[in-house]
Amino acid sequence: MLVRDAMSTVVLTIGPAHTLRQAACLMAARRIGAAVVLDTDAGGLGILTERDILNAVGAGQDPDRETAGTHTTTDVVFAAPSWTLEEAAEAMTHGGFRHLIVLDDDGPVGIVSVRDIIRCWAPVRRHPAILAG
């Protein structure tokens, strides 16, 4: 199975000036764990994850004053839609992260997470009522 088959095509793109609270609200509303941070001045894409926000809040930083740009990971590993899920899982394991931005020639087209990969690899769980019926 390929990354394109597992990735979420809901890509939240925010700017570096968004506050952590704004980013968290947008991520929560979409039920996603990462946002792509587009910083044209700094020359590219980064990623802000729920872990980045938790680390900042846990360190006592004010989510209404701290910006996404300050907490964005800019040394990002990108995946291609044609990667296998094994390649994506290996990149995540090697890098110690849980999300990969998926790029094609036109830019970000999705995000694949550990959860997406597990969902594809794990057997379908059946509800007991369905099995009885």
Side-chain angles (χ1 to χ4, degrees):
M1 187 169 271
L2 301 178
V3 165
R4 74 170 51 92
D5 302 318
M7 70 182 189
S8 170
T9 56
V10 176
V11 180
L12 172 62
T13 303
I14 63 173
H18 277 80
T19 67
L20 293 184
R21 184 176 309 279
Q22 289 170 325
C25 287
L26 292 168
M27 290 163 61
R30 289 164 179 78
R31 300 177 49 106
I32 56 175
V36 173
V37 181
L38 179 58
D39 189 349
T40 54
D41 293 336
L45 299 173
I47 190 166
L48 179 73
T49 67
E50 57 198 355
R51 182 178 294 170
D52 297 324
I53 296 169
L54 284 172
N55 286 340
V57 172
Q61 296 175 328
D62 183 350
D64 293 312
R65 298 188 77 195
E66 291 294 315
T67 62
T70 306
H71 297 278
T72 296
T73 300
T74 56
D75 185 19
V76 179
V77 175
F78 299 101
S82 60
W83 278 18
T84 65
L85 294 185
E86 289 82 6
E87 289 173 307
E90 184 178 317
M92 289 178 190
T93 301
H94 180 73
F97 44 80
R98 299 178 295 166
H99 298 86
L100 284 169
I101 299 172
V102 183
L103 293 181
D104 70 6
D105 293 334
D106 297 323
V109 293
I111 291 185
V112 66
S113 69
V114 170
R115 180 180 293 172
D116 296 326
I117 294 172
I118 290 171
R119 186 183 66 244
C120 291
W121 285 348
V124 176
R125 298 178 92 191
R126 297 185 182 212
H127 191 277
I130 296 172
L131 295 176

